[in-house]
Amino acid sequence: MPTRDNNSLNIGQIDWSSVLIYATLVVLGWVNIYSVAHDGGTTGGILDFGTRYGKQAVWIGICVFTAAAILLIDDKYYHIFAYPAYWAAIALLIAVIFLGTEIKGARAWIFIGGQGVQPAEFAKITTALALARYVGRHGFSPRRMRDVAMAFAIIILPILVIVLQRDAGSAIVYAALLVPLYREGVNGWIFVLIIAAVLLFIFEFLLTPFALLALVVAVCVAGEGLANGRWRTKLIYLAALTLGTIVIYFGAQLFFARNISLFASLLAVTLASIPAAVAYAYRHRLRNVYKYVGLFVFSLIFVSSIDYIFDNVLESHQQERILLLLGIEGDLAGVGYQTNQSKIAIGSGGWFGKGYLEGTQTRFNFVPEQSTDYIFCTVGEEWGFAGSFVVLGLFCLLIVRLMRMAERQTEAFNRIYIHGLAAMFLLHVIINIGMTVGLMPVIGITLPLFSYGGSSLLAFSILFFIAIKLGAAKRDR
């Protein structure tokens, strides 16, 4: 670790513009929570602690004191305690599975003094710090498989525990921490596989098995052809592989069992052909063909497992929301009610909105969870397109400033952590606003700094001010 010339806070190095954007988003979030929760009949004013806006005001005050403490702590301690804090968070996440309170199907909350706390929100902090320490250590190589596997394990472990809590929405956010790995030079093929998995999950519901197979083959052939040319060679090999697989599939259907999965047959044939494919590649000096054969195998394995994941891992309401998003189901009075009402609220705002405290969808509670997951529809209804543009602009500006701050860092630990925070902000914003306008399935993700909820606000505030502290650290170079 580099040494300091002093342990005092270097005020001049703090990114006050980012702090101002943070404060603006927090205040705007509270103003919208007040609009949702205010009914005109309360007597305690804006600090009525029995209301959501009163409770949020208390959490904002806690965040102010927490931010001051973070800025005063020597930043070397974030490095020193990264691993112990990570394992403590994992232990707490496991404890929640057995001791937590179940809310809306997810056992992800614990109550302390009557106040609900969601440990998964705070585990984001420790996971980001642990990843930054491991990847930023001297000797880490993005080309060494063991190092990359360990970095992935740091991210995947909390995801697995949170999935066991049946809180898939919170688990998805941790995928944002893959972004700093890519920035640090981890092989891009890993991320191609992740993107392919997402696309295959979607297309598995929209295409027939043969159409999906054709798509997979086309992608593999196109990728290999673009990379190395030799289109005819790749096309002949993959076409023969596919044709042989289909023949064996129909043979199995005819002579053995009619319930054999198409992709199970494809997978068996493909796995059996791998040695021949590798030998063929090296003989003809097609050094990258094995990557595309591997992509083909991965696609078949993943597609074969989608039905199991969909039926056994996802909750019934999550299944329905995915099918609704893909246009396979259209229950606007049931599972699609929230999103439909949110779209009505946002669309009714027009260019400049109906005016503050004048939103009919907001005032009459047509949109469930309007102060939490669906807070953005209040912005759209009362402030219109102009207000929505301002809020989105503030989020984009904050994310861009964090990315620029990360790139200015000379220490890998600081750079990785700040990039991870920027990616988490971006993923939260995309998914949350996508939910409100019907572009994303409803998975219960908050709008950072904006939605009602002490755990989310405090966790993101801690994440943010650690980044500010690391960015402002004055060190001997």
Side-chain angles (χ1 to χ4, degrees):
M1 287 287 294
T3 58
R4 283 182 174 278
D5 47 356
N6 61 69
N7 291 329
S8 62
L9 176 63
N10 190 356
I11 298 293
Q13 294 296 321
I14 291 179
D15 185 353
W16 290 110
S17 295
S18 294
V19 173
L20 179 61
I21 297 171
Y22 159 87
T24 303
L25 287 170
V26 170
V27 171
L28 290 178
W30 183 88
V31 166
N32 279 273
I33 293 169
Y34 180 84
S35 177
V36 173
H38 177 66
D39 60 8
T42 56
T43 58
I46 61 175
L47 296 180
D48 184 346
F49 300 134
T51 62
R52 286 197 164 189
Y53 55 81
K55 294 176 182 178
Q56 191 76 351
V58 173
W59 280 107
I60 291 173
I62 292 173
C63 289
V64 171
F65 286 104
T66 303
I70 290 171
L71 294 177
L72 291 173
I73 294 174
D74 194 314
D75 58 284
K76 69 181 181 182
Y77 292 111
Y78 300 119
H79 186 280
I80 293 172
F81 291 106
Y83 289 159
Y86 174 79
W87 289 113
I90 295 296
L92 183 58
L93 289 174
I94 294 173
V96 170
I97 298 175
F98 303 100
L99 305 176
T101 300
E102 185 171 324
I103 299 177
K104 296 180 180 179
R107 189 177 294 274
W109 297 80
I110 56 175
F111 282 81
I112 302 174
Q115 178 63 50
V117 177
Q118 190 174 13
E121 292 289 342
F122 298 97
K124 297 173 188 174
I125 306 167
T126 59
T127 304
L129 288 171
L131 182 69
R133 177 170 175 180
Y134 182 78
V135 178
R137 68 184 175 88
H138 178 71
F140 175 86
S141 172
R143 301 299 177 185
R144 187 182 300 125
M145 185 57 66
R146 182 182 61 184
D147 290 351
V148 173
M150 185 61 68
F152 271 81
I154 291 173
I155 301 172
I156 293 172
L157 181 57
I159 291 177
L160 294 177
V161 179
I162 294 170
V163 167
L164 292 177
Q165 298 175 358
R166 309 192 77 81
D167 186 12
S170 297
I172 287 174
V173 177
Y174 286 75
L177 293 175
L178 296 173
V179 172
L181 292 184
Y182 181 74
R183 165 61 182 82
E184 295 303 311
V186 172
N187 195 317
W189 266 97
I190 296 174
F191 303 97
V192 170
L193 291 178
I194 294 172
I195 295 172
V198 174
L199 294 177
L200 284 174
F201 186 88
I202 295 172
F203 286 122
E204 201 275 340
F205 295 99
L206 301 178
L207 302 177
T208 65
F210 283 108
L212 186 59
L213 173 63
L215 177 65
V216 171
V217 172
V219 169
C220 292
V221 172
E224 175 64 6
L226 288 173
N228 299 305
R230 303 183 184 229
W231 285 83
R232 178 182 295 181
T233 304
K234 278 64 170 193
L235 184 59
I236 291 174
Y237 173 75
L238 287 175
L241 176 64
T242 304
L243 180 61
T245 300
I246 293 174
V247 169
I248 291 179
Y249 164 71
F250 280 115
Q253 288 279 330
L254 181 62
F255 295 106
F256 295 101
R258 294 188 179 277
N259 60 351
I260 293 178
S261 165
L262 167 65
F263 280 94
S265 302
L266 292 172
L267 177 59
V269 175
T270 306
L271 290 175
S273 69
I274 286 178
V278 173
Y280 179 88
Y282 277 100
R283 179 181 178 184
H284 294 273
R285 298 184 179 181
L286 307 177
R287 297 183 178 179
N288 289 318
V289 73
Y290 69 91
K291 294 181 181 178
Y292 297 92
V293 174
L295 180 60
F296 187 67
V297 174
F298 165 80
S299 301
L300 298 178
I301 293 173
F302 185 75
V303 170
S304 299
S305 65
I306 285 178
D307 287 340
Y308 177 83
I309 296 171
F310 189 78
D311 294 333
N312 297 280
V313 176
L314 299 180
E315 298 287 341
S316 59
H317 65 277
Q318 293 170 333
Q319 297 172 4
E320 292 169 350
R321 286 165 176 167
I322 290 173
L323 295 177
L324 179 68
L325 177 67
L326 297 176
I328 300 173
E329 292 186 0
D331 183 13
L332 297 182
V335 69
Y337 175 79
Q338 283 178 290
T339 300
N340 186 51
Q341 292 297 320
S342 173
K343 290 161 70 175
I344 292 172
I346 293 173
S348 67
W351 285 100
F352 300 103
K354 298 176 180 178
Y356 186 57
L357 301 178
E358 299 297 328
T360 54
Q361 297 289 110
T362 297
R363 297 299 303 277
F364 297 106
N365 297 317
F366 282 103
V367 184
E369 307 298 337
Q370 194 161 336
S371 61
T372 53
D373 299 343
Y374 280 83
I375 189 70
F376 188 74
C377 71
T378 306
V379 178
E381 183 180 21
E382 297 188 350
W383 300 2
F385 176 83
S388 301
F389 182 82
V390 170
V391 171
L392 279 173
L394 288 171
F395 275 114
C396 290
L397 184 58
L398 181 61
I399 292 167
V400 169
R401 291 193 67 86
L402 286 172
M403 293 174 65
R404 289 181 59 191
M405 183 192 303
E407 289 302 314
R408 289 197 299 265
Q409 302 303 307
T410 57
E411 293 183 29
F413 177 85
N414 297 4
R415 181 176 63 251
I416 295 163
Y417 175 85
I418 299 172
H419 268 306
L421 171 59
M424 279 193 279
F425 263 117
L426 180 61
L427 188 60
H428 260 271
V429 171
I430 289 175
I431 294 179
N432 179 272
I433 295 179
M435 291 190 314
T436 65
V437 297
L439 297 177
M440 293 283 181
V442 181
I443 54 177
I445 287 182
T446 61
L447 189 59
L449 311 178
F450 222 84
S451 295
Y452 169 77
S455 294
S456 175
L457 177 61
L458 183 57
F460 268 105
S461 296
I462 294 172
L463 278 163
F464 175 77
F465 280 100
I466 290 177
I468 292 295
K469 175 65 176 182
L470 295 176
K474 182 180 179 181
R475 299 183 180 278
D476 288 328
R477 303 297 182 189

